[in-house]
Amino acid sequence: VATISDDAGKDASLNLDGGAGFDRLNGNSADNNLTLTGLNEGTLDKVSFSNIENIYLQGGNDKVTIENGGGLSGLLDGGDGNNTLIVDNHPITIGEDGKIIIGDGGSGGSGGGSYKNFQNIKAKDDNSGNQTNKITLNSNSNNVSITGPNSGTVDGTAFTNISDIDLAAGDDNATISSTGSLSGTLKGGDGKDDLFLNNSDNVISVDQTGTGNLITPFRNNYGNVSRQTDFDGFEIIRLDDGSDIANLTFDASTEKTTK
């Protein structure tokens, strides 16, 4: 176990090699900046490290950047504070216990790794206009609120630059505000899922499987425009206030409800 003391703040400078074993690096109460550049390696402020499987950031409002190929095989604990996790081109899964898995089955795609105590998740934007960043949830009854373009909250954790959300199993609630949208797809998954709309004059198209899209008008500096969000797998769709137009394609066997 290696610990950076509070007295050192963010100025401690050294190269740290954990070697063999299952090693741990403790941060301090400063607002630390951690970058994971490879498996179990990267920088914590001015400390360069390798072969460190676990990191505990302790207090402070910390920022963690996971570059493509970066990650831990153990646990990264953000500790106290308002902590931000920035992810480069990895799928994100939030488990029933609230721990975050980055990549395919572990941190950075490696086995066994996970993250906890992060209040903000940001996917890097490559400015291509066609980037896909996805969050997959769990079997809990989750609550998702989409409040801006590819942004909002998942069970109180804020997200930014997320194009696709899969609510997975559980009886989930998803709300799309008048300013919210996803450039990808919002999936209800298994369970009895509710989709709540807003008080704008929405146009919604949906078929008997719960698949469809929502077009919400809004006004910006260029005039009246609209945003579209595709969705599927919702059993109940609630239109809220507003002069909405619903285009429904149902068959006689459907159990979907639009209110």
Side-chain angles (χ1 to χ4, degrees):
V1 177
T3 300
I4 302 173
S5 69
D6 284 347
D7 290 340
K10 301 173 67 172
D11 295 325
S13 180
L14 73 152
N15 294 317
L16 177 65
D17 188 340
F22 202 57
D23 307 295
R24 170 173 161 176
L25 173 61
N26 294 328
N28 53 37
S29 60
D31 296 339
N32 300 124
N33 289 292
L34 170 66
T35 301
L36 299 176
T37 56
L39 179 58
N40 299 331
E41 66 180 45
T43 60
L44 177 57
D45 297 321
K46 297 179 181 179
V47 175
S48 297
F49 63 86
S50 58
N51 297 312
I52 298 294
E53 292 79 15
N54 304 277
I55 297 177
Y56 288 62
L57 292 177
Q58 315 289 357
N61 299 324
D62 305 308
K63 182 173 72 174
V64 175
T65 301
I66 305 172
E67 295 186 349
N68 198 7
L72 295 181
S73 56
L75 174 65
L76 173 56
D77 190 335
D80 296 332
N82 186 19
N83 305 309
T84 299
L85 188 62
I86 302 171
V87 180
D88 184 5
N89 196 30
H90 291 302
I92 301 164
T93 302
I94 301 178
E96 285 85 355
D97 58 0
K99 289 183 179 178
I100 302 167
I101 304 296
I102 306 296
D104 186 11
S107 301
S110 64
S114 61
Y115 304 78
K116 71 175 184 178
N117 292 324
F118 286 90
Q119 290 71 42
N120 308 281
I121 299 174
K122 295 183 179 181
K124 281 189 173 181
D125 188 353
D126 64 5
N127 296 312
S128 67
N130 57 6
Q131 186 177 7
T132 298
N133 298 304
K134 182 178 180 180
I135 290 179
T136 301
L137 300 181
N138 49 65
S139 60
N140 294 338
S141 295
N142 300 291
N143 291 284
V144 172
S145 181
I146 302 168
T147 57
N150 291 341
S151 61
T153 60
V154 174
D155 292 324
T157 298
F159 65 85
T160 307
N161 293 332
I162 299 296
S163 59
D164 295 76
I165 297 176
D166 187 345
L167 296 172
D171 298 337
D172 307 304
N173 293 325
T175 301
I176 304 176
S177 77
S178 59
T179 55
S181 63
L182 294 181
S183 58
T185 302
L186 176 64
K187 294 180 178 291
D190 295 333
K192 185 177 181 181
D193 305 304
D194 282 39
L195 178 60
F196 294 82
L197 304 187
N198 50 69
N199 58 7
S200 294
D201 296 338
N202 301 288
V203 177
I204 183 171
S205 299
V206 61
D207 66 15
Q208 71 274 5
T209 69
T211 299
N213 61 69
L214 168 70
I215 298 176
T216 300
F218 70 99
R219 183 174 180 82
N220 62 15
N221 293 334
Y222 302 99
N224 294 320
V225 293
S226 62
R227 295 191 181 101
Q228 176 172 318
T229 299
D230 295 333
F231 60 84
D232 66 48
F234 286 90
E235 284 69 32
I236 299 177
I237 299 173
R238 304 180 187 275
L239 299 181
D240 204 347
D241 296 330
S243 300
D244 302 302
I245 298 175
N247 300 309
L248 310 178
T249 306
F250 285 173
D251 64 23
S253 65
T254 182
E255 295 181 0
K256 312 296 177 182
T257 303
T258 302
K259 297 183 177 182

